[in-house]
Amino acid sequence: MSKRPYRVAVTRRIFPALIDELKESYDLVDNQADLSLAPEQLAERLADADGALITAGDRIDEPLLARCPRLKIVANIAVGYNNIDLAACTKLGVVATNTPDVLNEATADHAWALLLAAARRVCESGRWLRAGHWKRWEFEMFLGAELHGTTLGVIGMGRIGRAIARRAAGFSMRVAYHNRTRLPAEQEGGAIWATKEDLLRAADHLIVMVPYSRDTHHLIGAAELALMKPTAVLVNIARGGVVDDDALIDALKNGRLAAAGLDVFEDEPNLRRGFLELENAVLTPHIASSTRATRNAMARLAMRNLAETLAGRQPPSLLNPDVWQARRT
Ligand code: GLV
């Protein structure tokens, strides 16, 4: 009797060619209609799955896992994994994986896109032009912030932080960074470590790139914004909740901060209304890794994590190594 193929659920739409490929190996439950799945619907889809390709919006917690007795792996198509309760996965023998590295460069590019757009008022002046206001050139039109020759602060000098910092050389910018522990010299790439407070005071512009956790919740709040230069641009491409959005709106509204470039928000996609009224906020809908090549690489890495785990081999981006000996098979 031939063995039943593994059942795999894909929780959101991905490139059709990848779905076709997955169908060759698995009994596939896809969501190419891209329906938003409430927790109950997500649990129903995963209930009899052996593996799941999930995205950062899918909450994987103990109550859900308890309803999915066959589930052996949740493969996040994202590097951030604050949507997954890792302790619950380990407790219940479920492997969890993410997609590091393949998105470093695209995400770093987007951080710079936001920084440049916010500093040089690209979106604001574009909206003004489209509204038909451009009747004549003016000497003081949309004066922006200088980038070249200034100091870029990076909070969270991990893999993406370092890709961001490398790009600063092209703008002749100095880079200072803050991590809880200082990096070995060879990984600093000429960047200077500073305490968080010193960095906030010294940076002409600041990019935040730390994973979200209880420890990083509101890492940048009113007190931190008050330390920053009022001419600074703040970029958040980390996760909603790392920055206190209400405090940021207040600072942007009251000239405490020149501008912000934001790809992530608290309670996204329901962002605070205040953001929409701010001309000095450049807003994108959590797309920092969204190029065709990078999204493809992310999905492929997640597929590899899934395939290796189901074949009984340790996947390349295992998040909970403690599970391996006691994993569900
Ligand atoms: C995107 O936000 C990711 O974590 O990959």
Side-chain angles (χ1 to χ4, degrees), residues 118 200 206 208 218-226 228-230 232-237 239-266 271-272 274-276 278 280-283:
L200 290 165
L206 187 73
V208 183
H218 287 186
L219 184 75
I220 304 291
E224 288 74 20
L225 292 166
M228 291 179 67
K229 297 184 182 184
V233 173
L234 172 72
V235 171
N236 182 12
I237 51 158
R239 271 287 183 276
V242 170
V243 173
D244 177 343
D245 282 353
D246 289 326
L248 178 59
I249 289 170
D250 209 44
L252 290 168
K253 213 187 249 175
N254 297 317
R256 270 294 314 132
L257 198 67
L262 307 167
D263 188 48
V264 288
F265 305 87
E266 295 190 78
L271 52 165
R272 308 280 196 272
F275 278 128
L276 305 182
L278 288 170
N280 55 349
V282 174
L283 313 172

Side-chain angles (χ1 to χ4, degrees), residues 293-316:
T294 295
R295 285 279 156 92
N296 196 54
M298 291 167 71
R300 285 209 168 274
L301 177 52
M303 286 162 64
R304 192 169 149 218
N305 282 319
L306 179 93
E308 294 289 309
T309 303
L310 293 179
R313 292 185 294 268
Q314 196 156 316

Side-chain angles (χ1 to χ4, degrees), residues 6 27 61 100 191 231 238 241 251 255 288-289 312 315 322:
Y6 283 124
D27 172 12
D61 53 19
T231 46
S289 64
D322 288 350

Side-chain angles (χ1 to χ4, degrees), residues 103-133:
L103 45 51
N104 293 350
E105 303 301 328
T107 305
D109 286 349
H110 196 71
W112 277 90
L114 290 172
L115 177 58
L116 285 159
R120 300 309 304 270
R121 304 173 67 179
V122 171
C123 303
E124 178 189 359
S125 59
R127 279 191 294 272
W128 179 88
L129 179 154
R130 284 165 187 267
H133 296 309

Side-chain angles (χ1 to χ4, degrees), residues 87-162:
C89 285
T90 305
K91 181 174 158 195
L92 297 178
V94 178
V95 167
T97 61
N98 69 338
T99 58
D101 289 323
V102 290
L103 45 51
N104 293 350
E105 303 301 328
T107 305
D109 286 349
H110 196 71
W112 277 90
L114 290 172
L115 177 58
L116 285 159
R120 300 309 304 270
R121 304 173 67 179
V122 171
C123 303
E124 178 189 359
S125 59
R127 279 191 294 272
W128 179 88
L129 179 154
R130 284 165 187 267
H133 296 309
W134 192 19
K135 302 295 178 217
R136 62 196 188 107
W137 182 87
E138 287 169 45
F139 184 73
E140 292 169 295
M141 268 178 135
F142 292 101
L143 296 172
E146 297 276 348
L147 288 187
H148 69 273
T150 64
T151 296
L152 175 68
V154 178
I155 296 196
M157 191 69 117
R159 291 169 290 225
I160 298 173
R162 293 203 292 278

